[in-house]
Amino acid sequence: MAGYDPAAADRAAAFATLVRDRRFWRTIAVLSRFFLGAAWRELTARPRKGGRAGTGARAARIRRLLTDLGPTYVKLGQFVSARRDLLPAEAADELALLQDSLPPVDPPLVGSVIKAELGREAGELFASFEPEPLASASIGQVHRARLADGRPVVVKVQRPGLRRMILQDLGCLRLCAKLGGRMGRGDPGRWLALLDEFGRTLMGETDYLEEGRNADRLRRVLRHYPQARIPRVFWRLTGRRVITMEYIPGTKIDDLPALSAAGVNLRALAQRLIDCYLEQVVCGGFYHGDPHPGNLAVDGSGNLIIYDFGVVGRLSEFERQALAGAVEAVCRRDAGELSACLFRLGVLTDADYREPAARALAPLIAYYGGQDVLSVDFSQIEADVDALIAGRALAMPPALAYLLRTGSSLEGVARTLRPNFSFARAARPFLTRWAIERGILGLTSALEAAFK
C-alpha cells in the first residue's frame, strides 16, 4: 500500500468515476445548499459596522459545512487551523473546534478488515473481542480485546474503503484548486502544495504500521522519562489497517473530579505534562502532535498516558538550535538576532528583509520585555505571530505551525489542571537544565536574566 500520490488522487477524481459515485452527488448537494444559503444571506443582509462578527459567523458556517461533507473535510479543517498564515485568526479558532467522530462501523465489516489484514478471524486471533467499540473516529474505531495469554489489549480497525474515499476527495480538492487558478482565484500552485502536504499527512494516518513505528520511536525518546507511558505495539497482530496495542486504562486528563478523588496532585501533573513534551520536542526532535484531552490520561500512580500516534511532529537539530537562539534573542531583547534566527527557520524567506523584520519585531519584543515574563502565555504569542505574518507576508513553515498548535493545545490542557498556569514558569527548569547540558551558556544566562 503506497503513500500519498497526487496523480492517483487525480485519477480517483476522474469525471467518469465521479458521475457514478453517490457520495459525489451528495457532496454537490451539500455544497449547493451552502452556497445558495450564502447568496441569500448576502442579498438580505443589513449593512453593519465592523466585520468581526460577520467573520466569526462565516467561520462557524464553514465548520458546519466541513462536518457535513465528511471525514476528509473535517481533517482538512483541523489541518488548516494550524496554518494561521493562511487564515484569519477567528476562522482558524473556529476550525480548531471540529470534532473527529463518526458512528461506528457494523461488526461484520470490522471482522472483514481484520481477516483481510491479519489472515484470520478475530475469534481465532483473540481470546475475546468486544464488538462494541470504545471510540469511533473518522479514520477507525477502537475495540477492547484479550490475548490468548489473558493480557488486555485494544485493537484499532480502519474504516473499510477509507483510502479510496480519501484519494477521491483529495482529487476533487486538487481539481477545485486548479479551476480556481484558471478563474483568477489565487495561486493554484500554493493551494496544490498545501493540499499535497495535507494528503501526505492524512494518508500517513491511515497507515497503522507507521503509527506503530511512531509509538515505538516515542517510547525510545521518553526512555529516560518514566512518568510517561506509551502503550506497546503487538506487531504479530498489526497490519496497515489494524493495530493491536497494550491496554493501559486511565482517567482522562480533564476529568478533574475523578483525578482529585484519586489523590492526583493537579499542579504536579501540569508540570509533568509540560516536562514530558519538552523532552520530546527539545531532546528528541520527535513529538506526539495531537495532545488533546481525548489522547491524554493519568494512571493510578499519577503517570501520564499518551494515546494515538497517527499525528507526530518532527524538528531537526538545526531547527531546534535556531529555536533556542530565538528564545535567547527574545530574552535579551535583540530584534536583529531574532530576525536572523527566523531567517534560519524559514519564517523569513528573503535575507534582504531581515533588517525591516527586525524593526517590525522590536516593538513586539519590547512589549514582552516590559511584562512580567510569567504573565506571557502561548496563545498570546501565537496571536501576535499570526498578526506579524499577516501584516508582513511572512511564511510559516509546517514544522513550526504544528509546534505552535501543539503548544497551544498543551497550554489549554495545563490551564484546565491549574488555572493560573504559566508556560514560561513551567518550561524554565527544563530549558535551563537542557541549556547547561548542551553548553548553550548564552541561553542559560538569558533565562536567568529574564526571570529575575
Side-chain angles (χ1 to χ4, degrees):
M1 188 184 297
Y4 172 67
D5 178 6
D10 291 340
R11 288 193 298 272
F15 180 75
T17 302
L18 293 179
V19 295
R20 298 194 302 269
D21 192 308
R22 292 175 61 185
R23 207 171 58 83
F24 169 73
W25 291 110
R26 179 187 175 280
T27 299
I28 293 296
V30 171
L31 289 172
S32 298
R33 288 196 300 271
F34 175 80
F35 286 114
L36 286 172
W40 176 255
R41 283 187 294 273
E42 187 70 25
L43 287 171
T44 59
R46 294 180 180 179
R48 72 175 117 195
K49 295 180 181 180
R52 291 182 63 85
T55 301
R58 284 193 297 271
R61 287 194 290 271
I62 291 172
R63 175 175 59 81
R64 291 192 293 270
L65 169 68
L66 295 177
T67 300
D68 290 342
L69 288 174
T72 306
Y73 298 89
V74 169
K75 289 288 188 180
L76 177 63
Q78 293 171 332
F79 175 80
V80 298
S81 71
R83 299 299 304 272
R84 291 171 178 256
D85 53 327
L86 303 175
L87 295 175
E90 287 177 337
D93 290 341
E94 187 69 35
L95 293 181
L97 299 175
L98 283 162
Q99 298 296 309
D100 182 18
S101 60
L102 282 177
V105 173
D106 291 337
L109 292 175
V110 172
S112 68
V113 173
I114 292 174
K115 184 173 182 180
E117 283 296 310
L118 304 182
R120 296 163 66 188
E121 302 281 355
E124 301 175 66
L125 296 167
F126 303 97
S128 65
F129 184 91
E130 295 185 5
E132 289 298 318
L134 283 173
S136 178
S138 58
I139 300 294
Q141 58 193 49
V142 178
H143 296 258
R144 287 190 62 179
R146 195 169 290 277
L147 301 180
D149 61 9
R151 281 180 291 176
V153 294
V154 290
V155 185
K156 184 157 71 170
V157 184
Q158 192 173 114
R159 290 179 175 273
L162 182 74
R163 287 179 65 90
R164 183 191 65 80
M165 181 193 75
I166 289 174
L167 267 180
Q168 187 181 92
D169 288 341
L170 289 169
C172 290
L173 289 166
R174 284 175 53 82
L175 179 60
C176 289
K178 293 173 186 175
L179 291 175
R182 291 175 185 172
M183 296 168 64
R185 301 285 183 176
D187 177 11
R190 184 186 187 192
W191 290 110
L192 287 171
L194 179 70
L195 287 171
D196 289 344
E197 180 191 335
F198 168 62
R200 286 189 292 271
T201 300
L202 185 54
M203 292 304 255
E205 285 191 60
T206 68
D207 185 350
Y208 288 172
L209 290 175
E210 183 65 21
E211 179 172 346
R213 287 190 285 267
N214 290 341
D216 283 353
R217 180 173 176 182
L218 197 60
R219 190 182 306 102
R220 290 194 296 273
V221 168
L222 292 171
R223 64 188 179 277
H224 301 306
Y225 195 82
Q227 296 93 338
R229 300 182 66 185
I230 308 296
R232 295 190 174 276
V233 180
F234 292 90
W235 286 105
R236 184 177 58 83
L237 297 169
T238 294
R240 290 197 182 274
R241 294 188 297 160
V242 177
I243 183 169
T244 303
M245 304 186 80
E246 176 186 11
Y247 176 57
I248 306 179
T251 304
K252 283 185 66 174
I253 199 165
D254 61 348
D255 189 347
L256 302 190
L259 291 173
S260 298
V264 175
N265 184 322
L266 301 184
R267 181 190 183 99
L269 179 60
Q271 183 66 53
R272 194 173 305 130
L273 176 70
I274 299 306
D275 285 348
C276 174
Y277 275 81
L278 286 172
E279 181 82 20
Q280 297 170 52
V281 172
V282 176
C283 298
F286 183 86
Y287 60 94
H288 180 252
D290 197 14
H292 64 76
N295 286 339
L296 299 170
V298 183
D299 71 10
S301 301
N303 296 315
L304 186 68
I305 311 169
I306 302 176
Y307 304 121
D308 197 342
F309 309 96
V311 179
V312 295
R314 295 173 173 84
L315 285 174
S316 67
E317 176 67 21
F318 177 82
E319 289 170 324
R320 283 178 278 162
Q321 291 287 349
L323 281 170
V327 171
E328 180 181 346
V330 171
C331 290
R332 294 187 182 282
R333 306 186 194 183
D334 187 340
E337 180 58 26
L338 178 58
S339 70
C341 291
L342 294 179
F343 177 71
R344 291 198 291 274
L345 287 166
V347 176
L348 283 173
T349 56
D350 187 344
D352 294 335
Y353 192 66
R354 280 172 52 178
E355 187 174 333
R359 289 196 297 270
L361 288 164
L364 187 63
I365 293 178
Y367 170 72
Y368 284 118
Q371 292 192 87
D372 176 358
V373 70
L374 301 182
S375 70
V376 178
D377 62 51
F378 217 101
S379 58
Q380 184 180 12
I381 294 172
E382 185 179 30
D384 284 335
V385 170
D386 290 343
L388 186 64
I389 288 173
R392 299 285 171 171
L394 306 183
M396 175 57 77
L400 296 189
Y402 297 148
L403 184 61
L404 275 175
R405 183 177 68 176
T406 300
S408 293
S409 298
L410 281 175
E411 187 175 61
V413 174
R415 284 194 169 162
T416 300
L417 298 168
R418 184 181 169 195
N420 63 343
F421 172 82
S422 163
F423 199 103
R425 184 195 297 275
R428 181 200 175 192
F430 183 98
L431 291 177
T432 301
R433 188 167 61 252
W434 175 77
I436 292 172
E437 290 173 356
R438 299 292 293 268
I440 310 175
L441 302 182
L443 178 57
T444 305
S445 59
L447 287 169
E448 288 176 355
F451 279 88
K452 280 184 178 178

